Amino acid sequence: MENNTISKPASFYVVGLSYKKADAEIRGKFSLNCEAKEALLLQAQKEGIESLIVTSTCNRTEIYGFAQHPFQLIKLMCENSQGTIEDFQKVAYVHKNTEAIGHMFRVGTGLDSQILGDFEIISQIKNSFVESKNHNLVNNYLERLCNAVIQASKRIKTETEISSGATSVSFAAVRYIFNNVEDISNKNILLFGTGKIGRNTCENLVKHTKHEQITLINRTKDKAEKLARKLNVIVKDYANLEAEIQKADVLVVATGAQNPTIDKAILNLKKPLLILDLSVPKNVNENVQELENVTLIHMDHLSQMTDETLENRRKHVPAAEAIIEEIKDEFIGWTKARKFAPTIHALKQKLNNIKEKELTVQRKKFINFDEEQAELISSRIIQKITNHFANHLKDDATMVDESIEWIEKIFQIETEKND
């Protein structure tokens, strides 16, 4: 593929989709596993993208990065996933510059999470940052922004109670089981998949049920055995999946497979079965609902469940937003300063050159020329002039790019731009 070098100043964008408009099926199409992320980063390098990070979770897939046009980033996402441009246009969002910055702060601090106050996404941002940095795809701007979002997340965790109380997809799954399955203490629970959500669900189940009720199955058995030793539950081979499903009253599916692993063909059931699919992409085929004694619940349904814990969390949103505004303002101030700093420096240099030429002329005119006094006065004047320009450029109402262009044109100066 040819190298499409970016020739004009790029803007900062976020392109992506989330649970807000995209259901689990669509999110699954755009889901990026480790191999897809790696391919995307390599393609970004070839296509001349300056800097970007990629996040993909069960609730969202996003690219934050620099481009001349957001389609450059959308193209990367679609070409490395099962999603199409048409699907993207129906459910996605694109934010630019200040809006993109604000979006990243809300996502990274749990305010945009499917369950308010869920901070899992910040670890995704950290990991994505490291992956991009390893590919030399992080410039100073994006590094500073990621660090600012991480700082905001830490402060919100410690200074507010927005993440207090137990609530997550895994917690909601367990709560749903207890609220909807009668005589749960005598029912069998089969957990298929031991990824992060699977592990968390198992831990929550162990806290509230008998250990002998829970059976774990994972494609890679040693992972299941490791968790089983920790939680003192039963492990079965993947080959026994169909047989174990027949014994189960509740089946929790939390695998990382890209295609459904459970469908009605393997459900030779003799009693009612509640299936909770906590996977993205979906790992339970919708055709299981054709069976009379099957109830299928997906994670999107669980995430809509509200309770007192979430209501209490909402009370802390204003405090969290105040912290975000403070740190975001500091970052935006830094971006403005780094943008105009070279211009102010060049302006000061230009004025100093003018000063030196004028002082040389004056030295020849006056025998008793006071070198020290002239230097002091002229330097103070130059400082006051540059301060006026700097304050103008710092003003929120100032069009920084246009003002920089005007200053450089009037004073006939050239500056090197920051990356």
Side-chain angles (χ1 to χ4, degrees):
M1 188 175 293
E2 66 178 348
N3 191 329
N4 300 319
T5 303
I6 297 175
S7 56
K8 66 179 182 179
S11 297
F12 181 64
Y13 291 99
V14 55
V15 303
L17 56 135
S18 74
Y19 67 93
K20 289 185 176 180
K21 288 183 69 176
D23 62 22
E25 184 176 353
I26 293 294
R27 298 201 307 275
K29 288 182 179 181
F30 287 92
S31 178
L32 299 167
N33 59 23
C34 294
E35 292 77 15
K37 280 188 188 178
E38 174 72 11
L40 190 154
L41 294 176
L42 292 174
Q43 185 177 337
Q45 288 177 317
K46 290 179 182 177
E47 297 188 1
I49 299 297
E50 174 192 354
S51 178
L52 86 172
I53 65 169
V54 185
T55 61
S56 185
T57 70
C58 57
N59 289 329
R60 69 181 68 243
T61 297
E62 295 180 327
I63 299 178
Y64 296 87
F66 286 85
Q68 290 172 298
H69 191 279
F71 185 74
Q72 291 173 284
L73 305 180
I74 296 167
K75 175 173 170 284
L76 286 172
M77 183 181 292
C78 293
E79 290 184 356
N80 290 281
S81 70
Q82 301 302 311
T84 65
I85 297 294
E86 291 73 23
D87 287 335
F88 185 89
Q89 289 173 331
K90 290 175 186 174
V91 299
Y93 43 82
V94 175
H95 301 305
K96 181 179 180 181
N97 294 335
T98 304
E99 287 185 2
I101 293 167
H103 180 80
M104 189 173 184
F105 270 98
R106 292 189 69 83
V107 168
T109 55
L111 294 192
D112 200 63
S113 295
Q114 193 166 22
I115 294 180
L116 178 65
D118 183 354
F119 283 96
E120 288 296 324
I121 187 65
I122 197 63
S123 62
Q124 290 279 344
I125 290 174
K126 290 177 183 177
N127 293 338
S128 299
F129 170 80
V130 171
E131 289 166 3
S132 289
K133 186 133 187 174
N134 289 339
H135 286 78
N136 296 315
L137 280 169
V138 176
N139 62 9
N140 291 337
Y141 182 105
L142 189 53
E143 181 163 6
R144 181 97 174 202
L145 176 57
C146 288
N147 286 333
V149 172
I150 292 167
Q151 180 191 359
S153 176
K154 287 179 180 176
R155 280 191 54 187
I156 288 171
K157 279 183 185 178
T158 57
E159 296 177 25
T160 77
E161 295 179 24
I162 202 165
S163 59
S164 62
T167 181
S168 63
V169 170
S170 57
F171 181 78
V174 173
R175 190 176 61 206
Y176 183 89
I177 292 169
F178 277 80
N179 289 342
N180 292 276
V181 180
E182 293 183 8
D183 193 24
I184 186 63
S185 61
N186 293 311
K187 298 294 171 67
N188 295 321
I189 302 170
L190 174 61
L191 180 64
F192 177 36
T194 55
K196 190 174 185 69
I197 290 179
R199 291 196 305 271
N200 290 343
T201 303
C202 192
E203 288 175 0
N204 279 316
L205 285 169
V206 165
K207 289 177 184 177
H208 301 97
T209 62
K210 301 172 186 175
H211 292 210
E212 59 268 23
Q213 288 178 256
I214 303 171
T215 301
L216 292 182
I217 292 181
N218 195 59
R219 286 180 183 274
T220 309
K221 190 176 181 182
D222 60 347
K223 290 183 179 180
E225 288 176 334
K226 184 177 179 181
L227 180 62
R229 285 194 295 272
K230 176 183 175 184
L231 300 177
N232 191 27
V233 295
I234 302 165
V235 175
K236 295 288 184 178
D237 290 328
Y238 177 64
N240 296 332
L241 179 62
E242 290 187 39
E244 290 301 321
I245 288 175
Q246 290 182 35
K247 299 177 188 176
D249 299 288
V250 178
L251 169 62
V252 180
V253 182
T255 74
Q258 293 300 301
N259 298 298
T261 52
I262 305 292
D263 63 26
K264 71 174 186 178
I266 67 169
L267 299 184
N268 183 21
L269 303 178
K270 298 173 182 175
K271 58 181 177 178
L273 177 67
L274 169 64
I275 304 176
L276 284 79
D277 187 358
L278 309 185
S279 312
V280 172
K282 291 181 178 180
N283 273 200
V284 179
N285 196 314
E286 297 290 335
N287 66 16
V288 301
Q289 296 184 92
E290 296 171 13
L291 302 174
E292 289 185 10
N293 51 355
V294 170
T295 301
L296 174 62
I297 299 296
H298 194 266
M299 65 180 300
D300 280 357
H301 174 80
L302 297 172
S303 299
Q304 291 167 3
M305 297 168 64
T306 57
D307 60 9
E308 187 178 350
T309 299
L310 289 176
E311 289 302 318
N312 287 335
R313 286 184 175 194
R314 290 189 182 96
K315 297 174 185 176
H316 302 283
V317 168
E321 289 176 332
I323 291 170
I324 288 173
E325 284 305 306
E326 179 187 337
I327 297 175
K328 186 177 73 173
D329 286 349
E330 288 176 4
F331 173 76
I332 291 174
W334 174 81
T335 63
K336 282 189 173 184
R338 76 189 290 272
K339 183 179 283 189
F340 66 69
T343 300
I344 293 297
H345 179 75
L347 173 62
K348 195 168 187 178
Q349 194 71 36
K350 180 80 172 185
L351 294 175
N352 276 317
N353 291 341
I354 294 170
K355 176 195 76 172
E356 289 302 328
K357 289 179 182 178
E358 186 59 31
L359 290 181
T360 299
V361 171
Q362 297 304 320
R363 287 188 195 100
K364 295 176 181 178
K365 284 186 178 182
F366 298 100
I367 298 173
N368 297 322
F369 182 70
D370 191 333
E371 184 84 33
E372 186 177 345
Q373 190 70 14
E375 179 69 34
L376 177 64
I377 294 171
S378 57
S379 294
R380 285 175 62 86
I381 291 171
I382 288 172
Q383 188 61 49
K384 288 181 182 294
I385 292 171
T386 52
N387 282 347
H388 273 288
F389 279 106
N391 289 333
H392 166 73
L393 291 167
K394 287 177 185 176
D395 194 294
D396 289 339
T398 297
M399 302 290 286
V400 177
D401 290 332
E402 290 181 8
S403 293
I404 287 174
E405 186 179 351
W406 177 79
I407 293 169
E408 291 177 353
K409 187 174 181 180
I410 293 295
F411 288 94
Q412 297 180 334
I413 55 179
E414 294 183 3
T415 61
E416 292 185 4
K417 306 302 179 188
N418 287 315
D419 61 357

